[in-house]
Amino acid sequence: MRRIPSLLLAVGLLLATPVLAHDIQQDDLRIAHPFATPAPPSVPHGAAYLDISVTGDTPAVLVGASSPASESVEIHDMSMDEGVMRMRRVERLEVAPGTTQRMRPGGGYHLMLMNLVAPLNDGDRFPLTLEFAERGEVQVEVWVQSAEDGSEAAEGHHTP
Ligand SMILES: [Cu+2]
């Protein structure tokens, strides 16, 4: 009989844990296929990528993000500057109505996981909270996978 309370407790904890979805539809906002590229112990920072789609009439403005996987999360834009790849932090990323902002390795916007708590290994999953102006927070589950796999999955994963 002593096992029953602990079993019930375990079930209660399971139920209390929010189930994080990989693809999120929240009102007219859709977050698709969040993934992060693997980061070995020698790499201090990681990068996460996802697609943000807005189907309604008002833009979605990403103003921040956070995750237990790193000390902080910054919105970055990467571009070529006189032949050199440069990353710069941006305070907000606006997604216009009726459009999709795609993030992919190799350039453009990404979410920088500043000071990783642990290496990111292929197959790992971790929660990420996106903060949108006016719309509040959206929680997603990020999958760690190689850039090629992630991009392919992102492209092919959501064809209607
Ligand atoms: Cu960056």
Side-chain angles (χ1 to χ4, degrees), residues 8-118:
L8 286 176
L9 179 66
V11 170
L13 285 174
L14 276 177
L15 291 176
T17 307
V19 177
L20 287 182
H22 189 55
D23 293 316
I24 296 269
Q25 178 84 45
Q26 186 168 302
D27 300 325
D28 65 338
L29 182 66
R30 182 187 171 113
I31 312 295
H33 194 66
F35 72 99
T37 42
S42 57
V43 176
H45 313 304
Y49 309 88
L50 43 82
D51 292 348
I52 303 170
S53 303
V54 186
T55 54
D57 299 328
T58 49
V61 184
L62 183 66
V63 292
S66 61
S67 172
S70 64
E71 274 180 25
S72 62
V73 180
E74 297 180 355
I75 310 168
H76 278 192
D77 189 11
M78 185 162 73
S79 57
M80 290 296 268
D81 180 12
E82 294 176 359
V84 182
M85 273 291 198
R86 287 190 202 284
M87 285 200 295
R88 99 194 143 90
R89 184 180 182 182
V90 296
E91 294 302 320
R92 62 205 299 280
L93 168 53
E94 182 168 325
V95 184
T99 68
T100 297
Q101 171 67 56
R102 293 171 188 275
M103 299 183 190
R104 293 291 180 274
Y109 289 107
H110 56 276
L111 298 173
M112 204 78 192
L113 306 163
M114 305 302 292
N115 297 311
L116 289 167
V117 172

